[in-house]
């Protein structure tokens, strides 16, 4: 089974900072990575699919990149409303796997 | 606007069966473009995919839960259901139902609000 390892598990940044989260797959998965944002007490929200395509309505400060085994989610200028936990997800034979999550906090 | 809503008991006794239903409104569970799935979340294990069902009735289960899981779909009622047997405290979690896009990475683009199920005597 493919495992997803996210890093860091948490980070603290200032408003306006550029923030990058990584997701590493244990095997090559082409560009089949999804990114979610989850705020406390809420369900996850789909942000990015196919590694780099923004879901409709997602602010352009969010971007995704990578292919193969190494992927990134970048927030170009952190905003207070971006405080959340971010998860990556992949699928293999229609079986979904999630990364462990990265909690983003404001300094 | 598509909405999903989980319902079911919030407390289940150990060794019994957890049963949840997801009611879908504003969209069709007969669509060929989407799957319908269950995902749970615990503080310790994060997000865990439980299983997925297609409009045809084809099911896909997490291998670690497969022996205990049944997911079914009733398109006439726009509902799908989860049954998890022989539960233990480790099955205590927030359970989400979700619509899963049947292309482009199989991401879940609509989620229910989640329901907390505790396993305790």
């Amino acid at each position: 089974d493919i495992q997803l390892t996210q890093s860091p598990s948490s980070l603290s940044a200032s408003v306006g900072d550029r923030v990058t989260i990584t997701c590493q797959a244990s095997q090559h998965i082409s560009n089949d990575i999804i990114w979610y944002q989850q705020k406390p007490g809420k369900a996850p929200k789909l942000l990015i699919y196919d590694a780099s395509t923004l879901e409709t309505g997602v602010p352009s400060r969010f971007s995704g990149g990578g292919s193969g085994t190494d992927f990134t989610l970048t927030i170009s200028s952190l905003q207070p409303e971006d405080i959340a936990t971010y998860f990556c997800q992949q699928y293999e034979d229609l079986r979904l796997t999630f990364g462990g999550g990265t909690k983003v906090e404001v300094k | 606007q598509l909405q999903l809503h989980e319902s079911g008991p919030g407390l289940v006794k150990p060794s019994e069966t957890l049963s949840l239903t997801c009611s879908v409104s504003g969209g069709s569970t007969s669509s060929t473009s989407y799957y319908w799935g269950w995902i749970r979340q615990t503080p310790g294990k994060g997000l865990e995919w439980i299983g997925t069902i297609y409009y045809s009735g084809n099911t896909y289960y997490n291998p670690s839960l497969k022996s205990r899981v049944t997911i079914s779909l009733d398109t006439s009622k726009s509902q799908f259901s989860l049954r998890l047997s022989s539960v233990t405290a480790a099955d205590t979690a927030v359970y989400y139902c979700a619509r899963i896009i049947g292309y482009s990475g199989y991401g879940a683009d609509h989620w229910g609000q989640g329901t907390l199920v505790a396993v305790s005597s």
Side-chain angles (χ1 to χ4, degrees):
Chain A
D1 290 358
I2 296 175
Q3 309 297 321
L4 297 177
T5 302
Q6 280 186 243
S7 60
S9 57
S10 66
L11 66 89
S12 182
S14 299
V15 171
D17 282 354
R18 183 181 183 88
V19 169
T20 297
I21 298 166
T22 65
C23 178
Q24 186 171 56
S26 58
Q27 299 176 39
H28 186 282
I29 56 172
S30 185
N31 68 338
D32 295 327
I33 273 288
I34 304 287
W35 288 97
Y36 298 94
Q37 175 193 66
Q38 185 179 33
K39 296 184 178 181
K42 300 293 187 181
K45 172 187 173 184
L46 193 153
L47 291 180
I48 289 172
Y49 60 94
D50 287 345
S52 62
T53 303
L54 260 61
E55 178 76 335
T56 302
V58 173
S60 59
R61 63 180 179 274
F62 289 92
S63 64
S67 65
T69 60
D70 297 302
F71 302 88
T72 57
L73 172 68
T74 299
I75 308 172
S76 61
S77 177
L78 187 68
Q79 300 301 303
E81 60 266 32
D82 301 334
I83 301 313
T85 300
Y86 294 84
F87 295 91
C88 56
Q89 176 233 303
Q90 66 87 36
Y91 80 99
E92 178 190 19
D93 295 330
L94 292 174
R95 301 194 305 259
L96 309 186
T97 307
F98 293 90
T102 297
K103 187 174 184 179
V104 175
E105 298 173 316
V106 175
K107 276 184 185 174
Chain B
Q1 179 183 355
L2 186 76
Q3 292 187 332
L4 296 89
H5 180 75
E6 306 92 349
S7 60
L11 181 64
V12 182
K13 290 183 167 56
S15 79
E16 295 190 344
T17 296
L18 179 160
S19 295
L20 295 174
T21 295
C22 183
S23 299
V24 179
S25 59
S28 172
T29 54
S30 299
S31 171
T32 59
S33 298
Y34 303 102
Y35 294 74
W36 305 93
W38 290 95
I39 295 159
R40 68 183 183 180
Q41 185 170 31
T42 63
K45 292 191 71 176
L47 289 166
E48 182 178 32
W49 170 71
I50 300 170
T52 301
I53 190 164
Y54 194 44
Y55 83 99
S56 60
N58 285 357
T59 52
Y60 311 85
Y61 297 138
N62 187 322
S64 68
L65 299 170
K66 186 174 183 177
S67 64
R68 299 194 291 130
V69 173
T70 302
I71 296 176
S72 59
L73 175 65
D74 187 337
T75 56
S76 66
K77 294 183 178 179
S78 290
Q79 292 180 337
F80 60 104
S81 298
L82 168 69
R83 288 174 58 85
L84 180 66
S85 64
S86 305
V87 297
T88 70
D91 295 309
T92 294
V94 175
Y95 286 76
Y96 294 100
C97 62
R99 186 180 81 167
I100 297 168
I101 304 170
Y103 52 90
S104 296
Y106 293 87
D109 67 342
H110 285 82
W111 297 64
Q113 84 282 2
T115 186
L116 175 62
V117 179
V119 178
S120 175
S121 55

